[in-house]
C-alpha cells in the first residue's frame, strides 16, 4: 500500500542570532560616526582622535584598517557621509570645517575644505543626486553647498537661519529636494528651494527637549524623530508624492521604550522597521503595525 508521509511539525521560526564577528581597533579616542559605502564593502569611521579610517574585510574574512587620514581636521571629526556614487566622502568636524575627499582604490585625497561655520560642525549629509551637500553647526545655522562644474570645488548657495540653538543633524528627503534639520531648540525644520532661494517651509513641533536625530523611510512619506524627551515621534508627509515640498503631521508618539534620552534612530530602507538607541544603554526595534 501507499506509505503515509509523516508531516513535520512546523514550529515557530527561530530568530536569527546576531554575533559579533570582529572588533575594529585603531582609534585612540571616542569613535563618533560610522557610514557604509554605497557598495557595502567599505566602512568609514571617525572620532575624537581627529582621524578618518576606512575598514574592509579581507579574503580570509579578517577586518582591518586599509586606509587612514591623520591630517585634515584639527579637532574631533563628528560626522561623515559617503556620496551616493561612493566616489566621495565628506567629513564634518568640531574645527568648524567640512572636508570633501575623493575616493578610489582605498585611497582618500582631499578635494576641498568648506569653511564658513563659526563653531563646531555637527552633521553632514548628501542629497540623493550627489550634487548638494548640507552641513549644520553649533552656530545655529544650516549651510547648503553645491558642487561646481569642475567637480573639485563646492560653492555655498544658501545659509539657512531659523533655529534658535545648536543644530544637531541635517538629512535630505530621499526623493525630493527637501532638507530636514533637528535642533537643541526642540524643533525640526523643513527647508526647500524656490528656484535658487532656500527657505523654511515648515517648523515641526512636538518634542519638549533637544531633537537628536531624524530619519526618513525609503519613500520619504514618513519621518521619525527622537530626542532628549525620551519620545519617538512618527510623522506623515501630507503632500502628494509628486509634490515639490513636504508637510509633516504627527501620526504617532511612543514614550515607553527608553528610560533616558534617545540619541539615534534609523529607519530600515528595505522594511518598515525602526531602530533606536539611547542613554539607557538600550537598543529598541519597532515594527510598523
Amino acid at each position: 500500500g501507499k506509505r503515509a508521509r509523516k508531516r513535520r511539525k512546523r514550529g515557530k521560526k527561530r530568530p536569527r542570532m546576531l554575533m559579533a564577528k570582529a572588533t575594529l581597533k585603531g582609534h585612540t579616542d571616542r569613535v563618533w560616526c560610522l557610514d557604509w559605502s554605497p557598495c557595502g564593502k567599505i566602512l568609514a569611521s571617525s572620532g575624537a582622535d581627529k582621524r578618518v579610517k576606512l575598514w574592509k574585510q579581507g579574503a580570509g574574512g579578517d577586518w582591518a584598517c586599509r586606509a587612514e587620514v591623520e591630517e585634515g581636521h584639527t579637532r574631533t571629526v563628528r560626522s561623515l557621509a559617503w556620496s551616493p556614487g561612493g566616489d566621495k566622502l565628506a567629513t564634518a568636524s568640531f574645527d568648524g570645517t567640512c572636508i570633501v575627499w575623493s575616493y578610489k582604490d582605498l585611497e582618500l585625497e582631499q578635494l576641498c575644505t568648506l569653511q564658513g561655520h563659526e563653531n563646531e560642525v555637527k552633521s553632514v549629509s548628501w542629497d540623493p543626486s550627489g550634487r548638494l551637500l548640507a552641513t549644520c553647526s553649533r552656530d545655529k545655522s544650516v549651510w547648503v553647498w553645491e558642487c561646481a562644474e569642475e567637480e573639485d570645488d563646492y560653492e555655498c548657495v544658501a545659509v539657512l537661519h531659523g533655529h534658535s540653538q545648536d543644530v544637531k543633524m541635517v538629512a535630505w528627503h530621499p526623493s525630493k529636494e527637501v532638507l530636514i534639520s533637528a535642533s537643541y531648540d526642540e524643533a525640526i525644520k523643513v527647508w526647500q528651494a524656490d528656484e535658487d532661494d532656500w527657505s523654511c517651509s515648515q517648523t515641526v513641533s512636538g518634542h519638549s527637549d533637544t531633537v537628536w536625530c531624524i530619519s526618513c523611510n525609503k519613500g520619504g512619506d514618513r519621518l521619525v524623530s527622537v530626542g532628549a524627551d525620551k519620545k519617538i515621534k512618527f510623522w506623515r508627509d501630507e503632500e502628494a508624492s509628486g509634490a515639490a515640498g513636504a508637510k509633516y503631521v504627527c501620526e504617532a508618539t511612543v514614550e515607553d521604550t527608553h528610560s533616558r534620552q534617545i540619541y539615534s534612530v534609523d529607519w530600515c530602507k528595505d522594511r518598515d522597521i525602526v531602530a533606536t538607541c539611547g542613554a539607557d544603554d538600550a537598543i529598541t526595534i519597532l515594527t510598523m503595525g
Side-chain angles (χ1 to χ4, degrees):
K2 294 182 179 179
R3 291 183 179 178
R5 292 182 180 178
K6 291 183 178 180
R7 291 185 178 179
R8 292 183 180 178
K9 292 182 178 180
R10 292 185 179 179
K12 289 185 177 180
K13 195 174 182 180
R14 291 184 178 181
R16 294 176 65 184
M17 298 298 292
L18 294 176
M19 299 177 62
K21 301 294 289 185
T23 299
L24 311 183
K25 294 184 178 180
H27 283 285
T28 56
D29 206 333
R30 181 180 303 170
V31 182
W32 272 108
C33 192
L34 297 169
D35 194 34
W36 287 103
S37 64
C39 70
K41 295 180 179 179
I42 307 295
L43 180 66
S45 64
S46 66
D49 59 5
K50 314 169 199 172
R51 297 178 180 179
V52 176
K53 291 178 178 287
L54 301 183
W55 309 84
K56 186 179 181 182
Q57 191 172 23
D62 62 309
W63 283 87
C65 179
R66 311 295 180 181
E68 179 178 1
V69 176
E70 296 185 20
E71 298 180 356
H73 289 293
T74 59
R75 292 183 63 191
T76 293
V77 184
R78 178 63 180 87
S79 175
L80 50 75
W82 289 98
S83 65
D87 59 336
K88 295 183 181 72
L89 182 71
T91 55
S93 170
F94 284 0
D95 63 12
T97 69
C98 175
I99 296 179
V100 179
W101 311 81
S102 65
Y103 170 78
K104 186 177 181 181
D105 300 330
L106 290 174
E107 290 187 3
L108 290 172
E109 180 182 348
Q110 185 170 339
L111 286 179
C112 57
T113 300
L114 311 184
Q115 297 178 314
H117 283 291
E118 298 175 2
N119 298 104
E120 297 100 318
V121 183
K122 297 295 184 72
S123 176
V124 60
S125 178
W126 298 87
D127 85 321
S129 73
R131 182 178 59 89
L132 298 175
L133 194 65
T135 57
C136 66
S137 169
R138 187 181 175 187
D139 64 11
K140 311 173 190 175
S141 70
V142 175
W143 289 48
V144 180
W145 310 80
E146 184 174 17
C147 182
E149 293 296 329
E150 58 270 19
E151 296 186 1
D152 286 339
D153 198 10
Y154 286 77
E155 177 188 2
C156 177
V157 294
V159 178
L160 310 179
H161 296 285
H163 286 292
S164 60
Q165 297 292 336
D166 182 356
V167 187
K168 298 295 185 183
M169 185 178 181
V170 282
W172 291 92
H173 190 285
S175 60
K176 300 178 180 181
E177 196 168 286
V178 169
L179 181 63
I180 307 166
S181 59
S183 172
Y184 184 80
D185 64 8
E186 306 174 7
I188 299 166
K189 288 189 178 291
V190 181
W191 310 85
Q192 62 185 87
D194 181 6
E195 295 183 355
D196 293 330
D197 186 20
W198 283 83
S199 62
C200 178
S201 60
Q202 183 188 10
T203 297
V204 182
S205 302
H207 283 281
S208 57
D209 208 331
T210 301
V211 185
W212 279 107
C213 191
I214 47 180
S215 180
C216 287
N217 67 348
K218 186 176 182 179
D221 60 319
R222 296 291 192 279
L223 175 74
V224 61
S225 60
V226 296
D229 58 6
K230 302 176 281 186
K231 295 177 182 178
I232 306 169
K233 298 188 78 69
F234 291 87
W235 311 85
R236 175 173 49 84
D237 182 6
E238 285 192 320
E239 298 285 355
S241 58
K247 184 178 181 181
Y248 291 100
V249 294
C250 185
E251 63 176 1
T253 301
V254 181
E255 300 188 50
D256 56 355
T257 58
H258 289 275
S259 59
R260 298 179 67 184
Q261 59 183 314
I262 308 170
Y263 287 131
S264 186
V265 60
D266 194 34
W267 200 314
C268 178
K269 297 303 179 281
D270 295 323
R271 293 187 292 167
D272 270 341
I273 297 177
V274 170
T276 62
C277 63
D280 57 2
D281 307 333
I283 297 172
T284 299
I285 306 294
L286 299 95
T287 58
M288 305 298 105

